[in-house]
Amino acid sequence: MSRVLIVGSEGQIGTQLSKALSNRDDFDYLFLCDIKDKSRTDLNYFKVDALSYDDLKSFIIDKKINEVYHLAAILSAKGEKDPMRTWNLNMNSLFNILKLAKEGIIEKAFWPSSIAVFGNNNPKNDTPQFSDKEPITSYGISKLAGENWCKYFNTNYGTDIRSIRFPGVISYDALPGGGTTDYAVDIFHSFKSKIRYTCFLDKDTILPMIYIDDAIDGIIKLMRAPKKKLRIQSSYNLYAFSMSPKMIEEELKKIDNGFQVDYVPDYRQAIADSWPNTIDDIYACEDWDWNSKYNFKETTNHMLSKLAIL
Ligand code: SER
């Protein structure tokens, strides 16, 4: 049985993962932490700064935590406003977890990477697990370095740090904060409020996406997989489906033909253009039985019903 801590519990993935883990009976205790004063949930929440190694260490020892999901990060678009701050938060918070794992205080940890590790020179379609990676954002650089550090610690110190390269995550509960794929969530909220939406990406920009329920399922599957089956020590490619802003617009117009979207691409377009269109996730499929349940259509339908639009 596990005593689990979610670091960054108030974010887009953290909010949903907290709920999912609190509903499972294979976890003894669940603790949440973030830098906010309060949690949006009524779960067991504590304010802890992921950048403070001492605070994190004493909290984890005090609560006898053995499994950590470290989700705190600054995302790709927001990260470009202050690249050094992004590097500092994303890397040093990860180092704290890696060091605690090396010291044997944490037995197992999950840390999300991203399609942002890819850049302009890898194949855009079916982007393989192993290919050139020249990220163009501070976020992507930090995720790529983080992946390599996970592999380094796993290989040299026998730690058990597991990771997934997430596509854009489409969620209904918590909003994403400052990513290049955020439009795919924002557009639903504009639609619900009957507000004309201005999209910061071009209408035909194809990006890989995943529905939040699938993302959570993937995290739990990877964390429950036997360690000996995991061939990837850095971070697993993961794929669900791909879509463009225009595709969502057309879906939403089927419900309300009056919904209007303007396309005004900004600096985020170059980031999106550097990312893959589709992903080859064969290692995740073979090593821990990954298969997505939600395609574009199912994701759209679930978003509409979860946001009480339909
Ligand atoms: N969704 C993230 C972003 O757009 C990618 O990991 O920054």
Side-chain angles (χ1 to χ4, degrees):
M1 293 295 252
S2 318
R3 296 176 67 92
V4 172
L5 172 64
I6 299 179
V7 179
S9 62
E10 303 308 294
Q12 185 192 21
I13 297 178
T15 304
Q16 204 72 28
L17 185 65
S18 306
K19 284 188 186 164
L21 295 191
S22 69
N23 287 330
R24 289 174 66 100
D25 51 15
D26 50 351
F27 294 91
D28 267 348
Y29 286 97
L30 177 65
F31 301 92
L32 312 184
C33 78
D34 209 309
I35 45 164
K36 297 192 172 144
D37 287 330
K38 285 186 183 153
S39 175
R40 299 192 320 142
T41 68
D42 54 5
L43 299 170
N44 211 359
Y45 178 81
F46 299 83
K47 182 177 179 178
V48 182
D49 183 355
L51 282 175
S52 169
Y53 173 76
D54 291 338
D55 288 356
L56 211 49
K57 181 173 178 173
S58 47
F59 183 79
I60 286 171
I61 291 175
D62 184 47
K63 304 291 182 205
K64 299 185 176 61
I65 287 158
N66 54 13
E67 189 169 312
V68 175
Y69 295 73
H70 170 36
L71 309 173
I74 299 176
L75 296 183
S76 61
K78 186 175 174 194
E80 292 308 279
K81 306 279 185 210
D82 192 342
M84 287 304 124
R85 183 168 165 256
T86 305
W87 171 262
N88 179 45
L89 173 70
N90 293 1
M91 289 312 302
N92 288 322
S93 61
L94 174 62
F95 275 131
N96 288 342
I97 300 298
L98 292 175
K99 279 193 257 173
L100 291 167
K102 183 185 171 198
E103 290 170 32
I105 294 167
I106 296 172
E107 284 168 25
K108 197 195 259 191
F110 176 81
W111 173 80
S113 185
S114 160
I115 52 168
V117 298
F118 295 108
N120 287 309
N121 295 324
N122 46 268
K124 291 279 169 209
N125 295 321
D126 291 335
T127 305
Q129 175 73 36
F130 302 105
S131 68
D132 283 351
K133 293 180 196 67
E134 293 187 72
I136 70 164
T137 59
S138 174
Y139 171 74
I141 292 169
S142 71
K143 287 295 180 188
L144 183 56
E147 285 187 5
N148 285 321
W149 277 113
C150 289
K151 182 175 177 182
Y152 185 92
F153 273 68
N154 285 340
T155 309
N156 292 306
Y157 305 131
T159 57
D160 188 1
I161 317 292
R162 306 182 181 195
S163 178
I164 288 172
R165 285 179 190 143
F166 275 117
V169 176
I170 301 184
S171 60
Y172 48 85
D173 213 338
L175 291 169
T180 303
T181 54
D182 289 13
Y183 86 85
V185 176
D186 297 342
I187 195 168
F188 284 96
H189 289 274
S190 286
F191 182 76
K192 180 174 178 169
S193 311
K194 299 189 181 303
I195 297 171
R196 188 174 178 135
Y197 181 65
T198 303
C199 184
F200 54 77
L201 295 183
D202 180 73
K203 61 180 174 22
D204 295 318
T205 309
I206 301 268
L207 285 171
M209 299 281 179
I210 186 168
Y211 187 53
I212 185 77
D213 291 16
D214 258 347
I216 301 301
D217 189 43
I219 293 172
I220 294 173
K221 263 196 172 144
L222 172 60
M223 289 298 274
R224 290 288 155 264
K227 191 179 177 193
K228 59 180 185 318
K229 288 198 78 179
L230 304 180
R231 288 173 292 172
I232 304 298
Q233 296 295 309
S234 54
S235 187
Y236 277 90
N237 270 11
L238 198 79
Y239 187 59
F241 62 91
S242 295
M243 59 168 224
S244 67
K246 185 80 186 164
M247 283 167 66
I248 307 194
E249 182 191 351
E250 282 170 359
E251 255 340 271
L252 296 176
K253 276 191 164 145
K254 286 181 194 165
I255 302 161
D256 177 359
N257 197 32
F259 182 54
Q260 286 185 301
V261 181
D262 300 307
Y263 293 94
V264 185
D266 64 15
Y267 71 100
R268 288 168 278 196
Q269 186 64 46
I271 300 175
D273 288 343
S274 75
W275 291 355
N277 297 336
T278 61
I279 305 277
D280 176 0
D281 61 359
I282 185 75
Y283 284 88
C285 299
E286 287 182 358
D287 290 7
W288 43 277
D289 295 329
W290 165 248
N291 64 324
S292 66
K293 294 189 188 72
Y294 298 87
N295 60 22
F296 168 68
K297 191 87 184 139
E298 286 148 357
T299 298
T300 310
N301 287 343
H302 271 250
M303 284 296 282
L304 291 168
S305 94
K306 289 282 183 186
L307 294 176
I309 296 170
L310 285 182

